[in-house]
Amino acid sequence: MIMKKTILTGIRPTGNLHFGHYFGATSNWVKLQEDYECFFEIADVQALTDNFNNPEKVRKNVYELTIDLLSVGIDPKKAHLFIQSKIPEIAELTVFYSNLVTMARLYRNPTVKTEIAQKKALFGNDGESVTYGFVGYPISQAADITALGGTIVPVGEDQLPLIEQCREIVRKFNSIYGVTLTEPEHLLSPTPRIKGLDGKEKMGKSLGNALYLNDSSEIVQQKIMNAVTDPQKIRKDDPANPDICMVYYYHKLINNPNLETVCKECKNGTRGCVACKKELIQKIEDFLSPIRDKRKYYEDHPEEVQTILEEGTKEAKIRAEETMKKVKASMKIDY
Ligand code: TRP
Ligand code: SF4
């Protein structure tokens, strides 16, 4: 039997899945579960690094996110969905790895650096409120990956410095304690980052420009009707440039078979924006319809969601215990 390679990736439970997550990441996870042994982590401990003062939010979103992931096609028969905090080995490993990473290296991590800069801008302070747990989250993420024996890590571009740091930790561990762990490789998402409804480069909850997979028909309608179009187009029959229109961008994303017509009619002024938006709304409704059905099913069967998480967590725990045994033997703390 050929052993399938192990995939480990995670997501922070801080909100529902939006189109950016779906097209940028989780639609690919759905494909990957066919060919790899997949562990998808609901990273509640990592979410708490930013939200330690809001535990209710994290708890609620663990279940919301699990339902979102199941609704888009993560199949518990094929992949393991688990909750990070239920695997204490990850926390244990984080402590051991902490000795292998300097503070300077953490502060130099580009992802951490950017996030600290954002916090400073947001809270208007000099960074005094940045916690040890937050600065250290790349170490905990390295523990997520290696505890589960993940050798392939599907991520977006912004996460590459974290994977690189994980590889460094593994190399250092192996050189000090003997070869024990495998260096993981990243697998870049095939779709780059998805733009927001306002045309900003990134769709994000905090940016208020996101379209959610659990948005109701009314909300979808409202959001698309307000999406940014070519500002030069005032009248219905003005010709316009679809390349600077978010409505066209989403027609493309959603794979409208009518795309060429949309483009042509927009350019030659035979398409009005209202009709164009209505067509997009219909396509989005078609796309969301099976996702909504599945969501409804899992909302009506919370005990099934609980079981799926328990079973996934059980598998993850077995893996993490195996890793811990090896790690402790290598570190000579297998008393
Ligand atoms: N940091 C990742 C994010 O914010 C989430 C994450 C947690 C993760 N643990 C992981 C990603 C392990 C890859 C591997 O998107
Ligand atoms: Fe955008 Fe459609 Fe209006 Fe063209 S017609 S500007 S693609 S909404």
Side-chain angles (χ1 to χ4, degrees):
M1 195 182 87
I2 304 167
M3 285 282 277
K4 281 186 183 174
K5 286 192 177 176
T6 303
I7 276 190
L8 179 290
T9 190
I11 187 161
R12 296 180 181 203
T14 52
N16 282 99
L17 281 188
H18 55 56
F19 276 46
H21 297 122
Y22 178 77
F23 289 100
T26 56
S27 60
N28 196 36
W29 298 6
V30 172
K31 291 190 198 122
L32 292 169
Q33 67 184 349
E34 302 298 332
D35 299 321
Y36 296 90
E37 162 127 63
C38 288
F39 288 94
F40 298 126
E41 177 189 82
I42 312 284
D44 61 338
V45 177
Q46 192 175 113
L48 285 164
T49 60
D50 273 81
N51 296 277
F52 58 88
N53 51 1
N54 205 349
E56 280 306 323
K57 171 178 156 191
V58 175
R59 187 186 175 89
K60 170 175 166 276
N61 281 308
V62 164
Y63 292 101
E64 280 295 314
L65 196 58
T66 304
I67 292 179
D68 276 335
L69 289 171
L70 293 168
S71 308
V72 299
I74 297 298
D75 181 349
K77 290 197 193 69
K78 295 178 183 153
H80 314 294
L81 269 172
F82 73 99
I83 305 178
Q84 186 185 10
S85 62
K86 298 289 279 183
I87 313 292
E89 287 79 6
I90 293 176
E92 214 180 345
L93 205 48
T94 303
V95 174
F96 299 152
Y97 288 171
S98 297
N99 297 328
L100 309 179
V101 182
T102 64
M103 290 307 288
R105 176 64 180 86
L106 282 173
Y107 279 120
R108 245 189 292 120
N109 182 311
T111 310
V112 174
K113 220 167 151 177
T114 312
E115 285 169 342
I116 289 178
Q118 283 165 352
K119 280 182 202 295
K120 284 185 189 171
L122 200 64
F123 302 119
N125 60 26
D126 57 2
E128 285 291 299
S129 61
V130 173
T131 64
Y132 163 68
F134 179 78
V135 182
Y137 94 78
I139 303 177
S140 142
Q141 186 155 320
D144 292 344
I145 297 167
T146 50
L148 274 292
T151 52
I152 300 179
V153 190
V155 282
E157 195 124 20
D158 64 316
Q159 293 287 305
L160 293 183
L162 286 129
I163 311 302
E164 193 44 47
Q165 184 142 29
C166 175
R167 292 163 59 85
E168 265 177 52
I169 292 172
V170 167
R171 285 198 293 270
K172 191 145 188 195
F173 188 101
N174 287 344
S175 77
I176 297 171
Y177 303 114
V179 176
T180 315
L181 304 162
T182 310
E183 274 184 56
E185 283 167 42
H186 65 257
L187 181 67
L188 257 192
S189 165
T191 330
R193 129 182 317 188
I194 306 301
K195 292 185 190 179
L197 292 158
D198 55 358
K200 286 216 181 82
E201 276 311 307
K202 190 180 175 188
M203 180 178 280
K205 185 175 160 200
S206 53
L207 300 166
N209 62 1
L211 194 57
Y212 289 89
L213 295 172
N214 71 335
D215 277 344
S216 66
S217 301
E218 293 72 42
I219 299 282
V220 169
Q221 168 139 359
Q222 231 176 58
K223 286 182 177 174
I224 298 303
M225 280 304 182
N226 288 320
V228 169
T229 56
D230 179 351
Q232 297 296 324
K233 186 169 162 89
I234 315 269
R235 266 168 311 233
K236 200 171 129 206
D237 48 5
D238 286 343
N241 176 8
D243 293 330
I244 56 170
C245 171
M246 292 323 290
V247 175
Y248 183 68
Y249 178 87
Y250 288 106
H251 272 296
K252 265 195 297 197
L253 199 62
I254 212 95
N255 228 340
N256 184 351
N258 206 14
L259 191 67
E260 255 176 64
T261 315
V262 176
C263 182
K264 215 166 58 203
E265 291 180 352
C266 174
K267 282 182 175 163
N268 66 21
T270 52
R271 167 173 285 256
C273 288
V274 172
C276 189
K277 286 173 172 174
K278 285 198 172 144
E279 181 178 331
L280 176 62
I281 291 165
Q282 190 49 54
K283 292 284 181 273
I284 292 178
E285 288 288 306
D286 295 346
F287 162 74
L288 287 179
S289 169
I291 296 176
R292 285 181 180 145
D293 290 349
K294 273 200 177 161
R295 166 168 267 280
K296 171 94 178 59
Y297 173 83
Y298 286 111
E299 278 173 351
D300 291 344
H301 297 83
E303 68 299 334
E304 210 168 302
V305 176
Q306 188 66 32
T307 309
I308 288 167
L309 284 171
E310 276 167 21
E311 307 253 295
T313 301
K314 217 188 279 170
E315 282 303 313
K317 177 98 175 124
I318 293 172
R319 284 294 189 101
E321 280 172 4
E322 282 168 8
T323 305
M324 237 32 226
K325 230 187 223 152
K326 286 193 274 180
V327 162
K328 287 190 173 172
S330 298
M331 292 180 73
K332 312 206 179 303
I333 50 173
D334 52 341
Y335 308 106

